[in-house]
Amino acid sequence: MQLPIAVLVSGSGSNLQAIIDAAASDGDFGASIVTVIADRPGVRGLERAVAAGIPTRVVPWAGAATRRTFTGAVCDAAEQAGAQALVLAGFMRILTREAVDRFPNRILNIHPALLPAFPGAHGVRDALDHGVKVTGVTVHFVDEHVDHGPIIAQRAVPVDQQDTEESLHARIQSEEHDLFPEVVKAFAHGRLRVEGRTVVWEGASS
Ligand code: GRF
């Protein structure tokens, strides 16, 4: 039995591609992407989905009356496709509490910094501007606050003195592409248990 998931994208979709590739190459992946939902047409993430034969939906942010109606439309689209969980892979819109109520502890997000440091839309730039020596990647469950829910997994990425936002983001992304499919697989296998703010990996040795 595969867990049906919806992957939400706003841009290039390289994390979506990593999940598509993992699902294709790992017979024990445990999750199946039943739809890819974007907040605008024409993004590369949608092209990647089409190339993989995955149905797509566009729920335009531009046409939404309110964040509430947008959130409802995204959740409806996911449910209509049969999704039981949402995977936010570079989805740049904030969903309202309704999404968390409809998919409790069933929404995953990836953020390009070590939360709770540098939340928001510019996690890489903000870390660089702050002068940190180490930043990284966080995958977490989504709750009603931005970049805030229980942390599932993190990877550290050292900052080089010569780094630009682009070079640092590229190294962060290569960690993302390894980590996100691993987390989605663990989630699909029911191995992630939430206890308050702590996520316990069932069956992990440490
Ligand atoms: C990633 O770096 C992710 O951490 C952030 O947005 C970026 C999306 O990249 N939330 P892509 O669309 O998966 O290539």
Side-chain angles (χ1 to χ4, degrees), residues 60-145:
W61 168 254
T66 64
R67 193 175 298 284
R68 192 153 165 258
T69 56
F70 175 75
T71 298
V74 167
C75 291
D76 288 348
E79 278 183 1
Q80 283 158 12
Q84 293 175 11
L86 309 183
V87 174
L88 278 47
F91 189 64
M92 300 306 286
R93 303 293 166 198
I94 296 165
L95 299 172
T96 65
R97 203 202 156 93
E98 178 186 343
V100 181
D101 290 341
R102 287 172 70 171
F103 295 91
N105 284 339
R106 300 186 80 76
I107 309 176
L108 309 182
N109 183 46
I110 190 159
H111 183 75
L114 293 175
L115 293 173
F118 312 115
H122 305 291
V124 180
R125 186 192 311 165
D126 292 346
L128 206 50
D129 287 351
H130 198 84
V132 299
K133 303 301 188 195
V134 176
T135 184
V137 182
T138 303
V139 181
H140 65 97
F141 285 112
V142 170
D143 68 5
E144 61 273 31
H145 305 293

Side-chain angles (χ1 to χ4, degrees), residues 185-206:
K185 177 176 178 175
F187 176 70
H189 283 262
R191 290 183 54 215
L192 306 179
R193 183 163 45 83
V194 181
E195 291 181 2
R197 277 213 55 86
T198 302
V199 177
V200 178
W201 285 63
E202 307 275 9
S205 53
S206 57

